[in-house]
Amino acid sequence: MKQELEMDSRQKEIENLKDYKYGFSTDIENIRAPKGLSEEVIKFISKIKKEPEWMLNFRLKAFERFKQLKEPNWQKPKYPKIDYQDLYYYSAPKSMKDKPKSLDELDPKLLETYKKLGIPLQEQARLNGIAVDAVFDSVSVATTFKEELTKQGIIFCSMSEAIQKHPELVKKYLGTVIPTTDHFFATLNSAVFTDGSFVYIPQGVKCPMELSTYFRINASETGQFERTLIIADKGSYVSYLEGCTAPMRDENQLHAANVELIALDDAEIKYSTVQNWYPGDKDGKGGIYNFVTKRGLCKGKNSKISWTQVETGSAITWKYPSCILKGDNSVGEFYSIAITNNHQKADTGTKMIHLGKNTKSKIISKGISAGQSDMMYRGLVDISSKADNSRNFTQCDSLLMGNKCGAHTIPYIKNKNLKSNIEHEATTSKISDEQLYYCNQRGLNQEEAVSLIVNGFCKEVLQQLPMEFAVEAQKLVGISLEGSVG
Amino acid sequence: MLSIENLKAKIDKKEILKGLNLNIKPGEVHAIMGPNGSGKSTLSNILSGKKGYEVNGNIKFEGENLLELETEERAHKGIFLAFQYPLEIPGVNTNTFLKTSINAIKKARGEKELDAIEFLKLIKQKSSELKFDQAILNRQLNVGFSGGEKKKNEILQMSILNPKLSILDETDSGLDIDALRIVSEGVNSLRNKDNSFLIITHYQRLLDYIKPDFVHVLKNGQIIKSGNFELAKELEKVGYENFN
């Protein structure tokens, strides 16, 4: 009987896999830290990564703080309690023990996995001129175009490598935007982060290519704690792309990454994300918890940070990529498309903190909810008393499909400066049957029609994406809403 | 090409069409005239496949049972409806919409889809033939279009898709005299021995420009009289109420 049940659940898993295009896992032996969270586990992670003492101390300090923190629960989407002692905090593909020198040395299975994801590394690197720093589980496996970047003094490597080779930069900037004393998940990340990307653009350098990372969660029961740090020195420019898909898993998986951006005088950072992690099945079982902290600091005058995100995956998305506009005349932008279908839930938005004079921020948020999903835009615009002549423009549009989903908008607005002003616009609309009929009459089937209408709705944000991402994102928008109109 | 036999249709339990018969052969232009509420729009909706009606009777289009086909499949077979109230789709460029539409139809027919250059060539040719300002094609579909622009856009779509059967649902409503002439010329330029038209209208005016081969009077859910163009003139004189 028990065996039968197991067979049933196995069968179900296989059936579920059919629905999720990226639902597969690669059979690679893992090196794992012991289950659970403790000082020992943190020391284990630090040791296996051969970290200097200051790094270990950074982690331990965060862990001390973490022990005093309570898990927040003010967010709209609730989730079952996570047992933090029941997770693995480190897991690396075994074949990575001896780091490959080039793509050819990679585990063929690894390469195949990326191929299934539609991102053949070599081809992508060769054809698109993109340097790809791929994260497989927790360890960076391939870094390309490094030489070309090195010529200009650009550093683009894994966080682990940066800690070894560029400790002065990491030490100077890590934790300056998201300190070890931050909120629950960010602090957890500071204690246990495994790997991620590190970017440094030297003074006056315009990075000649889009830097790109594909994240991928692979091992079962592995929480992923990525740490990314991007520094744009004076007068420099960089555009960074982050894309994610995850294989099918039955258990909920926690993803609590920290991303810190720092733009010095006259520097600009453009950070684009396409997030397509496993959203759970049609009944809301499984899926990723995407509790990510992303924060950018416009430290210097005339600096600019721009976030663009396309969030279509995950069971729960809970994130607010933010800009702290400290430098005078600095600019923060947030362009977002969030799509929830079936039982997905999202509580996302941004924070724009105006500290410097003449600072400007712009928020364009497009939320689409379908099925029985629930979508929340939550955003903060805070203009301090010293931020004279600052401006914010916010536009939040929601699109509903069907009558079982929800869309909510909560803008928090604080203006402590009489010389500054804030504008907020919001709309809620529904795809009408008449619009669909019109498209059908012109030869488009239901899904093509939905995809067209939704892409139109999101256009302002899609236009912000670099070319390499725009096409993929457009397709993704259609795919994520498949089956949402009956 | 199209044969409708004893067509009955209800919506929300209200009977609108009560046994309608109509035959259209290739190359023919038929006009259906009738008062408000006579069932004209219902007929065009049912032919194009709008959902929500309870339909009885037979409709054959080129030998196929039309009622079994999905809305988009009917479009693929060559049925086009010029909407009385064309829908606005914010954010979608009119060009993009047209290209998606023509390629969806081509794909369904197993024909080669148009690439960007072929498509641009086609719309350039068609809009100059119809003397339409191409500028509106770069705007969001029907968003902020005047009544006349919307109707012209429908005719342009019709000419690009080159349907076998075009249904014009009160295309003349809300048009000024110049726009009416342009729209009519557009229709006339598409007339040939293979293409058929079903023109639904209240007024004779449009028919002065598009001379139909047949005129039918629809009243109370049935065609009560059929004839040639003279019938339209007669209607205009006596009015729908006194016409029996």
Side-chain angles (χ1 to χ4, degrees):
Chain A
M1 184 62 192
K2 191 172 175 246
Q3 210 168 5
E4 262 175 46
L5 277 175
E6 273 170 12
M7 282 296 285
D8 271 349
S9 79
R10 180 74 195 139
Q11 193 62 38
K12 253 191 196 149
E13 210 177 303
I14 291 166
E15 271 164 26
N16 285 338
L17 279 169
K18 284 184 212 147
D19 289 347
Y20 185 60
K21 200 176 139 204
Y22 301 136
F24 50 81
S25 58
T26 311
D27 201 2
I28 294 173
E29 276 184 77
N30 288 320
I31 297 178
R32 275 178 174 170
K35 222 178 200 178
L37 185 58
S38 64
E39 214 172 290
E40 283 64 49
V41 167
I42 291 166
K43 282 179 177 163
F44 173 90
I45 294 170
S46 194
K47 195 178 167 198
I48 204 164
K49 299 176 84 62
K50 299 191 180 76
E51 286 177 355
E53 206 184 335
W54 60 266
M55 196 63 245
L56 176 63
N57 289 338
F58 178 96
R59 292 176 181 278
L60 291 174
K61 205 173 133 198
F63 183 57
E64 276 312 305
R65 167 78 180 166
F66 177 75
K67 285 194 281 192
Q68 297 157 27
L69 288 172
K70 262 198 178 154
E71 194 167 343
N73 70 347
W74 47 262
Q75 83 288 4
K76 191 152 193 307
K78 302 300 178 201
Y79 52 90
K81 210 166 165 41
I82 298 169
D83 184 353
Y84 293 92
Q85 295 305 335
D86 198 38
L87 295 175
Y88 288 102
Y89 288 87
Y90 183 81
S91 152
K94 202 177 188 177
S95 57
M96 288 302 303
K97 231 180 163 181
D98 306 301
K99 272 215 154 201
K101 309 287 177 295
S102 75
L103 288 168
D104 307 334
E105 287 177 36
L106 286 179
D107 188 329
K109 247 189 183 157
L110 218 62
L111 290 176
E112 203 187 315
T113 308
Y114 286 119
K115 211 170 157 189
K116 277 194 239 173
L117 282 168
I119 40 161
L121 269 186
Q122 285 126 319
E123 252 181 62
Q124 196 175 17
R126 192 167 49 86
L127 296 174
N128 296 340
I130 301 174
V132 178
D133 179 341
V135 174
F136 189 87
D137 258 23
S138 316
V139 174
S140 298
V141 289
T143 305
T144 49
F145 282 104
K146 208 175 234 178
E147 278 174 42
E148 212 176 317
L149 295 171
T150 310
K151 266 187 227 158
Q152 307 216 32
I154 294 167
I155 303 167
F156 177 37
C157 62
S158 72
M159 189 55 111
S160 315
E161 193 181 328
I163 291 167
Q164 304 296 337
K165 291 189 181 161
H166 310 283
E168 69 298 337
L169 282 171
V170 179
K171 224 169 158 179
K172 187 171 173 190
Y173 290 107
L174 188 73
T176 58
V177 191
I178 306 173
T180 51
T181 52
D182 217 272
H183 68 81
F184 185 85
F185 295 105
T187 301
L188 176 63
N189 176 289
S190 290
V192 301
F193 74 84
T194 41
D195 216 334
S197 293
F198 176 85
V199 176
Y200 173 77
I201 314 290
Q203 197 168 334
V205 171
K206 309 266 179 247
C207 185
M209 57 186 85
E210 314 270 353
L211 302 181
S212 159
T213 300
Y214 279 87
F215 288 95
R216 180 163 168 75
I217 298 172
N218 193 53
S220 175
E221 292 174 74
T222 308
Q224 262 216 338
F225 302 93
E226 307 288 346
R227 186 91 190 195
T228 293
L229 177 60
I230 299 175
I231 304 142
D233 212 326
K234 288 177 186 170
S236 69
Y237 168 83
V238 63
S239 169
Y240 186 88
L241 320 180
E242 174 202 326
C244 342
T245 52
M248 168 92 188
R249 282 293 157 202
D250 217 14
E251 307 94 320
N252 285 308
Q253 287 186 306
L254 174 66
H255 186 97
N258 281 4
V259 176
E260 292 178 281
L261 312 182
I262 296 146
L264 302 183
D265 290 355
D266 305 299
E268 181 177 348
I269 302 175
K270 188 174 162 65
Y271 192 104
S272 313
T273 306
V274 172
Q275 184 265 114
N276 182 28
W277 284 327
Y278 180 55
D281 66 13
K282 286 198 180 82
D283 304 316
K285 196 167 178 251
I288 303 289
Y289 291 167
N290 179 26
F291 301 166
V292 169
T293 306
K294 290 182 168 170
R295 207 174 290 161
L297 174 63
C298 282
K299 198 173 179 185
K301 60 177 169 49
N302 309 319
S303 57
K304 180 176 173 184
I305 288 179
S306 177
W307 298 100
T308 305
Q309 62 172 24
V310 179
E311 303 281 332
T312 64
S314 296
I316 302 176
T317 295
W318 185 12
K319 60 181 273 204
Y320 313 94
S322 308
C323 296
I324 300 166
L325 305 171
K326 194 176 172 195
D328 289 348
N329 315 318
S330 61
V331 177
E333 291 176 341
F334 175 73
Y335 297 94
S336 170
I337 297 170
I339 299 178
T340 52
N341 196 359
N342 297 320
H343 290 265
Q344 280 177 280
K345 291 178 173 57
D347 191 327
T348 184
T350 183
K351 289 189 234 175
M352 293 292 173
I353 316 289
H354 293 253
L355 300 175
K357 292 183 177 58
N358 311 314
T359 47
K360 286 192 197 75
S361 64
K362 185 174 173 187
I363 300 169
I364 308 285
S365 163
K366 305 278 179 177
I368 299 136
S369 24
Q372 293 162 52
S373 69
D374 207 29
M375 165 82 60
M376 160 81 80
Y377 169 84
R378 193 192 298 270
L380 168 70
V381 177
D382 188 339
I383 299 186
S384 79
S385 56
K386 285 178 184 156
D388 289 350
N389 306 316
S390 293
R391 284 213 315 263
N392 162 265
F393 173 77
T394 300
Q395 189 185 327
C396 293
D397 297 325
S398 306
L399 187 67
L400 295 161
M401 297 173 64
N403 46 23
K404 285 179 184 156
C405 55
H408 319 266
T409 301
I410 304 189
Y412 298 81
I413 295 169
K414 292 183 190 168
N415 191 349
K416 297 164 204 143
N417 190 305
L418 287 170
K419 290 181 194 158
S420 295
N421 72 67
I422 293 174
E423 277 177 78
H424 183 93
E425 287 178 12
T427 65
T428 303
S429 52
K430 214 181 146 176
I431 294 186
S432 74
D433 290 343
E434 290 286 326
Q435 281 175 322
L436 290 172
Y437 167 52
Y438 189 61
C439 293
N440 293 153
Q441 210 298 307
R442 296 298 186 262
L444 279 65
N445 66 30
Q446 212 66 336
E447 266 154 16
E448 288 165 336
V450 168
S451 176
L452 184 84
I453 295 170
V454 171
N455 271 303
F457 174 76
C458 302
K459 198 163 115 187
E460 280 167 281
V461 176
L462 288 169
Q463 280 170 342
Q464 295 299 322
L465 288 172
M467 271 304 284
E468 289 83 347
F469 257 18
V471 179
E472 187 185 339
Q474 242 175 50
K475 279 186 197 151
L476 200 57
V477 164
I479 292 170
S480 356
L481 288 167
E482 266 175 19
S484 57
V485 176
Chain B
M1 172 180 281
L2 180 77
S3 80
I4 304 175
E5 250 174 67
N6 197 24
L7 180 66
K8 293 178 181 169
K10 279 187 204 171
I11 190 161
D12 298 331
K13 290 186 183 150
K14 194 181 168 224
E15 196 168 38
I16 297 175
L17 295 180
K18 302 166 183 170
L20 185 144
N21 296 294
L22 183 67
N23 272 296
I24 300 179
K25 294 199 180 83
E28 289 178 354
V29 177
H30 290 243
I32 290 195
M33 300 181 73
N36 293 324
S38 58
K40 300 190 303 295
S41 288
T42 300
L43 176 63
S44 60
N45 286 342
I46 286 171
L47 289 174
S48 61
K50 190 175 184 184
K51 294 184 177 72
Y53 293 95
E54 196 184 308
V55 183
N56 276 299
N58 283 318
I59 305 179
K60 283 248 155 67
F61 179 68
E62 304 224 292
E64 259 185 285
N65 183 353
L66 193 69
L67 295 173
E68 282 177 358
L69 300 176
E70 292 290 337
T71 312
E72 66 269 21
E73 290 170 332
R74 299 180 196 198
H76 302 158
K77 302 266 179 226
I79 290 182
F80 179 91
L81 170 64
F83 279 59
Q84 186 181 359
Y85 304 108
L87 276 293
E88 296 183 5
I89 305 186
V92 176
N93 187 293
T94 305
N95 265 327
T96 310
F97 179 75
L98 275 173
K99 187 163 176 251
T100 313
S101 166
I102 191 166
N103 280 339
I105 291 172
K106 283 192 173 289
K107 197 173 147 194
R109 290 178 183 164
E111 295 168 14
K112 193 180 155 284
E113 293 176 41
L114 297 183
D115 63 29
I117 295 164
E118 291 166 333
F119 173 74
L120 286 173
K121 226 169 126 183
L122 178 70
I123 52 166
K124 200 171 170 191
Q125 180 209 334
K126 292 293 177 187
S127 42
S128 84
E129 272 175 27
L130 297 171
K131 299 186 192 73
F132 287 172
D133 183 4
Q134 234 181 300
I136 67 167
L137 299 176
N138 289 320
R139 285 160 49 186
Q140 298 176 40
L141 183 61
N142 292 325
V143 177
F145 283 27
S146 70
E149 283 171 334
K150 282 185 184 174
K151 297 295 173 75
K152 284 183 193 172
N153 189 23
E154 293 291 288
I155 300 303
L156 178 65
Q157 293 182 41
M158 184 170 89
S159 98
I160 286 169
L161 299 177
N162 193 23
K164 286 181 190 155
L165 174 66
S166 303
I167 305 159
L168 282 74
D169 189 5
E170 297 192 26
T171 298
D172 51 341
S173 67
L175 287 189
D176 63 35
I177 299 165
D178 294 340
L180 187 72
R181 204 191 62 240
I182 293 175
V183 164
S184 310
E185 281 170 6
V187 173
N188 286 332
S189 73
L190 293 172
R191 281 175 86 160
N192 64 36
K193 64 175 176 37
D194 301 314
N195 293 343
S196 308
F197 292 83
L198 180 62
I199 293 162
I200 289 168
T201 181
H202 283 297
Y203 309 107
Q204 181 210 327
R205 209 177 46 182
L206 177 69
L207 304 181
D208 289 337
Y209 294 102
I210 310 170
K211 290 272 183 323
D213 302 307
F214 300 92
V215 175
H216 310 275
V217 182
L218 183 64
K219 203 176 166 185
N220 202 15
Q222 284 181 316
I223 288 176
I224 56 166
K225 193 166 185 184
S226 299
N228 58 17
F229 182 57
E230 294 304 314
L231 184 59
K233 287 183 182 165
E234 196 189 329
L235 260 177
E236 198 89 353
K237 258 186 226 155
V238 289
Y240 290 117
E241 195 153 339
N242 299 321
F243 189 87
N244 282 306

